[in-house]
Amino acid sequence: MPNFFSKKSLQITIITLGVALSFSALSNTIEYQCSFNKTVNYKGEVLESYSDIRFVEDVYTGEAVMIGNNGMSNVSINEGRLKTYIEANDSGAISTTTILENGKAIHYRVSSLPGTDLHYSAMLYGQCDKK
């Protein structure tokens, strides 16, 4: 029976694995898991809500995505003392999520149904935890 794992092939496998792990360590991301439990709707009503949004940001490229109940979309980042993720959606509206220094967060969104005059806007209040 042939020996598929010679000493040399085992060394190459270990070196390849080490290089692969090194490259994966270089792929650094920042992730925020946000949970929103209060909503103020366009009528000014304060409602209990349950909405989770996740942001994943590549620190090397500066690119980020928002993952929520409507799937995943690319977002821009505006960062200073606070961090704001900005989503420009197909309707022309802008949704923003601003994360305060203490992790508290405000998400603002406008939605509309194509071909109708129906629209919805809301501010959601919650907390984002950096992972």
Side-chain angles (χ1 to χ4, degrees):
M1 184 162 167
N3 183 0
F4 292 109
F5 297 104
S6 68
K7 186 175 181 181
K8 183 148 182 95
S9 69
L10 184 58
Q11 289 172 337
I12 291 171
T13 302
I14 291 171
I15 290 170
T16 303
L17 183 59
V19 169
L21 290 174
S22 297
F23 281 122
S24 69
L26 293 175
S27 172
N28 198 1
T29 60
I30 296 172
E31 182 175 333
Y32 287 94
Q33 180 66 47
C34 304
S35 295
F36 298 93
N37 56 12
K38 294 277 186 218
T39 298
V40 179
N41 67 18
Y42 68 99
K43 296 177 184 177
E45 301 167 327
V46 178
L47 309 167
E48 293 286 324
S49 63
Y50 303 97
S51 182
D52 291 330
I53 301 172
R54 187 168 50 132
F55 296 95
V56 180
E57 176 184 339
D58 184 312
V59 297
Y60 295 111
T61 66
E63 296 176 352
V65 293
M66 176 175 76
I67 304 164
N69 63 344
N70 287 330
M72 182 172 73
S73 61
N74 293 324
V75 292
S76 301
I77 305 166
N78 185 40
E79 188 168 14
R81 193 171 50 83
L82 310 176
K83 180 176 269 194
T84 299
Y85 291 100
I86 305 159
E87 175 197 25
N89 58 45
D90 292 339
S91 71
I94 299 289
S95 297
T96 63
T97 303
T98 299
I99 303 171
L100 309 177
E101 293 166 313
N102 62 2
K104 300 259 186 234
I106 303 166
H107 177 75
Y108 177 72
R109 68 175 175 219
V110 176
S111 302
S112 67
L113 294 174
T116 71
D117 288 336
L118 298 175
H119 71 281
Y120 177 81
S121 63
M123 301 220 23
L124 290 73
Y125 296 88
Q127 179 75 32
C128 292
D129 296 316
K130 191 174 183 179
K131 301 292 180 183

